[in-house]
């Protein structure tokens, strides 16, 4: 990923991550953008050149940017694991196999760097991504659940 591509990647990522966290009820909307930027910048202090991070760009045959994937190499963890922080396909290229190709590229590059397993988180409402990961051999290892309560502390009706 070039520096120009990284700048666009970061901008989109800050926005989408903030929206995901706010929509999931994990962050207040008025704080989401700032919190998102702080987390991402903390994980990528040297931008696209941050050690231990792989930032890959997927291109169409015509050379257009179809999407990107961000992988953290975690050699200190058991099995020399890798972690997919983000994978995104541009809206006009969705449903054409680019997500699957980016996922495969992330797996291949992580293995090339010594990882023996790869993992990720996916928001529960992201059914398209969940289907992609499941059909690519990913297994559920944890599941978070939540139930809203009414003001009196009882179950919502």
């Amino acid at each position: 990923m070039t520096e120009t591509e990284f700048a666009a990647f970061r901008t989109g990522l800050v926005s989408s991550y903030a929206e995901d966290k706010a929509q999931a009820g994990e962050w207040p909307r008025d704080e989401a953008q700032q919190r998102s930027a702080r987390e991402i910048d903390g994980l990528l202090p040297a931008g696209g050149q941050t050690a231990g991070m792989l930032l890959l760009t997927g291109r169409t045959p015509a050379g257009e940017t179809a999407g990107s994937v961000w992988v953290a190499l975690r050699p200190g963890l058991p099995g020399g694991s890798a972690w997919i922080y983000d994978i995104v396909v541009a809206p006009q290229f969705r449903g054409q196999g680019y997500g699957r190709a980016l996922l495969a590229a992330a797996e291949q590059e992580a293995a090339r760097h010594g990882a023996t397993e790869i993992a990720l988180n996916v928001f529960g409402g992201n059914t398209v991504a969940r289907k992609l990961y499941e059909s690519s051999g990913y297994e559920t290892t944890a599941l978070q659940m939540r139930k809203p309560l009414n003001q009196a502390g009882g179950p919502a009706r």
Side-chain angles (χ1 to χ4, degrees):
M1 184 177 289
T2 67
E3 287 192 36
T4 301
E5 290 170 334
F6 177 78
F9 166 79
R10 184 197 172 278
T11 298
L13 181 60
V14 167
S15 179
S16 65
Y17 187 53
E19 179 58 28
D20 286 344
K21 290 293 236 179
Q23 190 173 351
E26 295 181 26
W27 292 346
R29 276 200 191 276
D30 63 341
E31 298 175 14
Q33 289 287 322
Q34 182 181 12
R35 289 176 74 167
S36 176
R38 190 171 44 244
E39 277 196 25
I40 290 164
D41 292 344
L43 290 166
L44 296 167
Q49 303 305 313
T50 301
M53 300 292 181
L54 300 173
L55 295 157
L56 309 173
T57 300
R59 300 194 194 292
T60 68
E64 297 172 277
T65 299
S68 59
V69 61
W70 169 17
V71 180
L73 301 172
R74 296 179 161 184
L77 294 179
S81 69
W83 185 264
I84 297 175
Y85 273 107
D86 188 59
I87 182 169
V88 65
V89 175
Q92 68 272 28
F93 298 115
R94 292 181 184 157
Q96 299 176 42
Y98 289 105
R100 190 168 303 280
L102 281 165
L103 191 59
E107 294 166 359
Q108 182 178 9
E109 283 300 302
R112 192 172 73 75
H113 284 83
T116 57
E117 64 181 19
I118 193 165
L120 54 82
N121 275 336
V122 61
F123 286 98
N126 193 343
T127 56
V128 172
R130 290 174 58 195
K131 287 178 184 177
L132 169 63
Y133 304 140
E134 289 168 359
S135 70
S136 296
Y138 288 72
E139 299 173 354
T140 301
T141 58
L143 183 65
Q144 291 181 338
M145 299 177 83
R146 177 177 54 222
K147 178 180 179 179
L149 302 175
N150 69 15
Q151 298 297 336
R157 296 194 190 260

